[in-house]
């Protein structure tokens, strides 16, 4: 089956630093990757849609300068949380859509837990 | 908003019993998907049902979709302790975006 990995799985950082999270599709090419965040016991909220070779599309209310997304290849997208603050602490999950046409299913990574002190 | 809304928010049953979770949404959809999430982990895709389908089966899972009522249900038969997890419905639009509901926390007691 399709596998998506995320790295790191857990990160603790100081307030004001930047954190990069990688999302990789391991056995398929992903034209589109999605980034979500999830607060404890809440649902997933879509942050942005990342398309290979083009700028990411951000959802309303998500600061593009704070959450930098780069989708440099068909198997890798990165999310950089810049100048992180404690309120950015959350569970960040990526998903990837198979490049094969008509695939509505998204394959999710295992998530990255970010704690900003 | 297309957001799905699951009910109940929490469900506790005994092993062997069936578990039914419901999802309602507000606008037209291309498809509706159900996912499972174990605590602190990523999501696992369970089943996708398209807007022109009414029922779908996969192992012990049965999903129904009623587009006239804008609702879907997920039935897990003969539940096991290992089925304990949060279950989310997600509505899929024409742009492949998914909008998730708040989830149902299912606890299956051995």
């Amino acid at each position: 089956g399709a596998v998506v990995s995320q790295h790191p799985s857990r990160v603790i950082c100081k307030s004001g630093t930047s954190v990069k999270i990688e999302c990789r599709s391991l056995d398929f090419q992903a034209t589109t990757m999605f980034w979500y965040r999830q607060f404890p016991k809440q649902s997933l909220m879509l942050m942005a849609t990342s398309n290979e070779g083009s700028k990411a599309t951000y959802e309303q209310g998500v600061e593009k300068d704070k959450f930098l997304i780069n989708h440099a290849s068909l198997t890798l997208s990165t999310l950089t949380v810049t100048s992180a603050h404690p309120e950015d602490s959350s569970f960040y999950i990526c998903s990837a859509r198979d490049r094969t046409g008509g695939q509505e299913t998204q394959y999710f990574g295992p998530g990255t837990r970010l704690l900003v002190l | 908003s297309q957001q799905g809304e699951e009910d109940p928010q929490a469900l506790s049953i005994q092993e062997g019993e069936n578990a039914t979770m419901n999802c309602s949404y507000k606008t037209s959809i291309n498809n509706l998907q159900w996912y499972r999430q174990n605590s602190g982990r990523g999501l696992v895709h369970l089943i996708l049902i398209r807007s022109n389908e009414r029922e779908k089966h996969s192992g012990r899972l049965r999903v129904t979709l009623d587009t006239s009522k804008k609702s879907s249900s997920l039935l897990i038969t003969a539940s096991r302790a290992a089925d304990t997890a949060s279950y989310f419905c997600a509505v899929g639009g024409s742009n492949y975006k998914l909008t998730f509901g708040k989830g149902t926390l299912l606890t299956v007691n051995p």
Side-chain angles (χ1 to χ4, degrees):
Chain A
V3 178
V4 175
S5 70
Q6 276 184 246
H7 178 80
S9 59
R10 183 184 297 264
V11 57
I12 301 173
C13 70
K14 293 181 179 180
S15 186
T17 60
S18 295
V19 175
K20 180 185 282 189
I21 302 170
E22 292 186 349
C23 176
R24 292 181 186 272
S25 57
L26 298 185
D27 51 1
F28 66 98
Q29 293 183 327
T31 309
T32 306
M33 290 183 172
F34 302 89
W35 287 95
Y36 300 83
R37 67 187 297 181
Q38 183 182 33
F39 292 106
K41 298 185 179 181
Q42 294 193 26
S43 184
L44 279 75
M45 299 299 295
L46 179 65
M47 299 175 65
T49 302
S50 170
N51 294 300
E52 187 265 339
S54 64
K55 292 183 179 180
T57 304
Y58 290 82
E59 295 300 301
Q60 193 172 10
V62 178
E63 298 177 59
K64 62 178 181 179
D65 294 330
K66 180 164 184 65
F67 299 100
L68 300 179
I69 291 173
N70 184 277
H71 195 154
S73 75
L74 285 171
T75 59
L76 173 65
S77 176
T78 60
L79 167 69
T80 301
V81 183
T82 62
S83 187
H85 290 282
E87 58 265 31
D88 298 323
S89 298
S90 189
F91 193 51
Y92 292 86
I93 307 176
C94 72
S95 70
R97 186 172 73 85
D98 197 310
R99 188 184 191 189
T100 306
Q103 291 290 331
E104 301 104 328
T105 302
Q106 292 183 23
Y107 301 98
F108 283 79
T112 296
R113 188 162 301 283
L114 171 63
L115 177 60
V116 185
L117 303 176
Chain B
S1 167
Q2 280 190 311
Q3 185 178 27
E5 294 284 340
E6 291 96 336
D7 82 270
Q9 291 187 351
L11 179 62
S12 181
I13 60 174
Q14 295 299 122
E15 212 166 21
E17 294 179 340
N18 296 341
T20 299
M21 289 160 270
N22 302 296
C23 171
S24 60
Y25 56 92
K26 296 180 180 178
T27 63
S28 61
I29 62 172
N30 277 3
N31 61 77
L32 189 143
Q33 305 183 35
W34 285 90
Y35 288 84
R36 164 200 170 117
Q37 183 182 35
N38 286 75
S39 180
R41 308 289 291 274
L43 272 72
V44 174
H45 182 261
L46 295 176
I47 200 163
L48 178 153
I49 186 166
R50 291 189 171 81
S51 59
N52 61 351
E53 298 176 312
R54 292 296 167 259
E55 188 170 311
K56 213 164 183 181
H57 296 255
S58 176
R60 293 185 294 115
L61 307 180
R62 182 172 80 97
V63 168
T64 62
L65 178 64
D66 187 335
T67 52
S68 65
K69 296 181 179 178
K70 291 185 167 56
S71 68
S72 172
S73 68
L74 169 67
L75 168 68
I76 304 175
T77 60
S79 64
R80 305 166 182 168
D83 293 329
T84 294
S86 290
Y87 292 83
F88 294 90
C89 71
V91 295
S94 58
N95 54 5
Y96 298 107
K97 286 184 182 179
L98 291 178
T99 305
F100 283 83
K102 295 180 180 179
T104 293
L105 175 59
L106 173 66
T107 302
V108 181
N109 302 300

